[in-house]
Amino acid sequence: MATIEVEPTEPGEGAGPVALTRRGGVALWRQIEQALEAEIASEGLAPGDRLPTEHALAERFGVNRHTVRQALGALEERGVVRVEQGRGTFVHDDPLPYTVRKRTRFSETIRLQNREPHSRLILAGNFPAESAIARPLGLRRGESVILLETLGEADGRPITIASHYFPAARVPDMIAAYRAEGSITRALARCGIADYTRKSTKVTARLPSAEDARALRLPRSRPVLVAENLNIDLDGRPIEVSINRMAAERVQLVFEP
Amino acid sequence: MATIEVEPTEPGEGAGPVALTRRGGVALWRQIEQALEAEIASEGLAPGDRLPTEHALAERFGVNRHTVRQALGALEERGVVRVEQGRGTFVHDDPLPYTVRKRTRFSETIRLQNREPHSRLILAGNFPAESAIARPLGLRRGESVILLETLGEADGRPITIASHYFPAARVPDMIAAYRAEGSITRALARCGIADYTRKSTKVTARLPSAEDARALRLPRSRPVLVAENLNIDLDGRPIEVSINRMAAERVQLVFEP
DNA sequence: ACGTATTTGTTCGTATGTATC
DNA sequence: GGATACATACGAACAAATACG
């Protein structure tokens, strides 16, 4: 008994008749979760689309708004939807394909996806190198490196935080050059490094630090991809180590041999 | 029974007398964090080593256990240590470098790191392809694919869970072949695919499903790297899509152009 | 298979110093 | 100065996972 037939609110698509079974051993919110996910998977709801309001969903399924919220919470936890305070609930966008090649520049890569790149300087300074930075750069621990920390955005959406390390001996004026040019590539050119290419990329993932989470506008529970690039100049000498942190749910790194 | 050793356990190195300054403008937990990190950096504590218990550290530094915990939490957040309930706190192991090339085979890659690879079949079957699998394989949604799910280990430590999808029309006897050979590469050879190479790899990260977490022996709060490989045969035709999930804290994917 | 000791995880409560308006 | 919020530090108790005989 007690199967509740809810009349479809729209005849066309998406809001097909969903029968929730009570006392069937599956909690209502789980059934709602599955129903919504099925709707998304069947492409009745496209990436970026806004779901009906919680109120509307509660009406449609004939349940309390709390029950809908539990279902949405489960979907958000799994990264299927994204809930924004005051705006609504949205089907999660497809991740941005970020193709990594021998010559990869952030702004080019973003523009390739028809999005508008923007880069902002967060922090700049001169520090003694930790061994994790010194080694790939071919320096001794404690030698001076220049750090530029940048936040990269696509269409205003934060994509990556990158810590760029340069050997201070090679490019002493890097900070000024970056301030003048607003781009790593052009700043390096100004410092006499006409071109550089990627020697290797090491990828791992972890949960974000508090600062990274804030800058990326990402909950602390959502992982970040960490890509460590070693870039070399045309003579094959290391010129930059960059450590990029990206919201894992927003990007997909693409490597093609 | 309450034998309390406050003195340095070793005269040589590591547990040297550390003077914490109160009211010095630096919080106690930060000083403890730095002291422990210095000890690890100086290799008084090697990767994998267990740190003293929180209780012991609290005694040693003359602070409350909460204060020690805050320091350990900061170290864990930065990936310096790994805290395991009921077991202790450990210096973080170095991640296993997993180099991805045009021809990458799990067992070869593991052996390169002087570790003993092992592969175990978890699941095998024949299914209609979802679009995410069908598309890269050049099939239509619903066409039959063979799924082999394997768990790869190095020195008995679970490294990766991989779902391998093959077009059933091309290699109908793949499951039997795998059971006979115990290796994807040799099974494909038996099915007439002499060789195959990697066309592309897409990398992202997420929190693990319950099953993945269990198989990888990983807490659900720790992210997994997800690498989707598309492999093609010598004629350039797609022969396999594999979706690999790896404990992010245990591996580092290395790409060299 | 079970109980016990060990170790980390969580939640109370309390007190104090610091920064801000 | 006063009010307030926040981070720091301590204490006690209990919960949960693990190790071990």
Side-chain angles (χ1 to χ4, degrees):
Chain A
M1 58 176 60
T3 62
I4 299 182
E5 281 283 348
V6 181
E7 65 281 25
T9 41
E10 294 198 339
E13 173 143 39
V18 185
L20 301 189
T21 47
R22 294 174 191 257
R23 294 179 185 65
V26 182
L28 287 181
W29 65 268
R30 275 229 173 272
Q31 300 178 56
I32 295 170
E33 179 193 0
Q34 282 158 17
L36 290 174
E37 191 176 12
E39 223 165 286
I40 291 167
S42 75
E43 290 165 44
L45 284 165
D49 278 5
R50 208 180 90 185
L51 271 67
T53 65
E54 294 175 354
H55 180 76
L57 287 172
E59 289 247 328
R60 181 172 132 198
F61 289 107
V63 300
N64 191 280
R65 186 169 151 246
H66 290 305
T67 312
V68 168
R69 281 181 62 76
Q70 188 147 12
L72 292 177
L75 287 172
E76 178 174 37
E77 190 172 315
R78 293 194 295 129
V80 179
V81 303
R82 159 176 48 92
V83 182
E84 288 184 37
Q85 173 89 270
R87 298 222 313 132
T89 306
F90 302 83
V91 180
H92 206 296
D93 301 287
D94 285 331
L96 186 72
Y98 192 98
T99 304
V100 184
R101 293 182 225 275
K102 213 159 154 45
R103 290 183 81 267
T104 292
R105 307 292 181 255
F106 174 74
S107 51
E108 282 178 29
T109 309
I110 299 304
R111 252 190 281 271
L112 258 176
Q113 299 297 323
N114 293 316
R115 291 168 198 256
E116 194 50 33
H118 183 68
S119 229
R120 215 171 62 228
L121 186 63
I122 297 177
L123 188 145
N126 202 311
F127 302 96
E130 297 171 30
S131 59
I133 302 301
R135 197 176 314 115
L137 281 178
L139 303 178
R140 271 187 303 278
R141 201 181 137 195
E143 282 195 79
S144 185
V145 290
I146 286 172
L147 165 63
L148 294 176
E149 205 157 272
T150 60
L151 174 65
E153 298 176 323
D155 289 349
R157 206 170 149 63
I159 296 295
T160 177
I161 289 189
S163 300
H164 306 265
Y165 296 91
F166 308 89
R170 287 287 306 278
V171 286
D173 300 323
M174 190 62 195
I175 295 177
Y178 184 86
R179 285 193 202 281
E181 298 284 357
S183 143
I184 299 280
T185 305
R186 289 196 301 272
L188 277 175
R190 184 183 271 235
C191 292
I193 312 290
D195 195 12
Y196 61 96
T197 59
R198 187 173 63 90
K199 170 106 183 300
S200 71
T201 300
K202 299 178 181 177
V203 181
T204 184
R206 60 161 184 258
L207 295 181
S209 70
E211 304 87 66
D212 285 352
R214 189 161 27 75
L216 290 171
R217 279 186 259 143
L218 187 74
R220 302 249 0 227
S221 57
R222 296 282 185 44
V224 290
L225 277 169
V226 183
E228 178 188 320
N229 286 299
L230 173 60
N231 286 318
I232 55 177
D233 65 14
L234 294 179
D235 301 330
R237 285 190 298 174
I239 191 64
E240 179 199 11
V241 166
S242 75
I243 297 179
N244 295 59
R245 287 89 79 197
M246 292 156 277
E249 63 195 35
R250 304 211 265 262
V251 297
Q252 188 172 45
L253 295 174
V254 181
F255 295 88
E256 286 163 352
Chain B
M1 67 235 339
T3 55
I4 297 177
E5 274 284 346
V6 185
E7 290 85 325
T9 42
E10 295 197 340
E13 175 144 37
V18 184
L20 301 190
T21 52
R22 293 177 187 252
R23 297 177 186 62
V26 181
L28 289 181
W29 66 267
R30 276 224 173 276
Q31 299 179 55
I32 295 170
E33 179 193 0
Q34 282 158 17
L36 291 175
E37 192 176 12
E39 223 166 286
I40 291 167
S42 75
E43 290 165 46
L45 285 166
D49 279 4
R50 210 183 89 179
L51 271 69
T53 66
E54 295 175 350
H55 180 76
L57 287 172
E59 290 254 326
R60 181 171 133 197
F61 289 108
V63 300
N64 190 278
R65 195 177 138 227
H66 284 304
T67 312
V68 168
R69 281 179 61 77
Q70 189 145 10
L72 291 177
L75 288 172
E76 178 173 41
E77 184 174 302
R78 293 194 295 125
V80 179
V81 302
R82 159 176 49 91
V83 184
E84 291 183 37
Q85 178 164 4
R87 302 220 317 130
T89 306
F90 302 83
V91 180
H92 205 302
D93 302 285
D94 290 328
L96 184 74
Y98 191 100
T99 305
V100 184
R101 293 182 223 277
K102 212 159 155 43
R103 290 183 81 263
T104 292
R105 307 292 181 256
F106 174 74
S107 51
E108 282 177 30
T109 309
I110 300 303
R111 253 190 281 271
L112 258 176
Q113 299 296 324
N114 294 317
R115 289 167 199 256
E116 195 48 35
H118 182 70
S119 227
R120 215 171 63 229
L121 187 63
I122 296 177
L123 188 145
N126 203 311
F127 303 96
E130 297 171 31
S131 59
I133 302 301
R135 198 176 313 114
L137 281 178
L139 304 177
R140 272 187 302 279
R141 197 180 141 197
E143 280 194 79
S144 184
V145 290
I146 286 172
L147 164 63
L148 293 177
E149 206 156 271
T150 60
L151 174 66
E153 298 175 325
D155 288 348
R157 206 170 150 65
I159 296 296
T160 177
I161 289 190
S163 301
H164 306 265
Y165 295 90
F166 307 89
R170 287 286 306 279
V171 287
D173 300 324
M174 189 62 195
I175 295 177
Y178 184 85
R179 285 195 201 280
E181 299 283 357
S183 144
I184 300 280
T185 305
R186 289 196 301 272
L188 277 175
R190 184 183 270 237
C191 291
I193 313 290
D195 196 12
Y196 62 96
T197 61
R198 187 173 61 90
K199 169 107 186 296
S200 72
T201 300
K202 299 178 181 177
V203 181
T204 184
R206 59 160 186 258
L207 295 182
S209 69
E211 305 87 65
D212 286 353
R214 188 160 28 76
L216 291 171
R217 280 188 260 142
L218 187 74
R220 290 209 64 183
S221 58
R222 301 278 181 56
V224 290
L225 276 169
V226 183
E228 180 187 319
N229 285 300
L230 174 59
N231 286 318
I232 56 177
D233 65 14
L234 294 178
D235 302 330
R237 285 189 298 174
I239 191 64
E240 179 199 11
V241 166
S242 76
I243 297 178
N244 295 59
R245 290 90 78 195
M246 292 156 277
E249 62 194 36
R250 303 211 267 261
V251 297
Q252 188 172 45
L253 295 174
V254 180
F255 295 88
E256 286 163 353

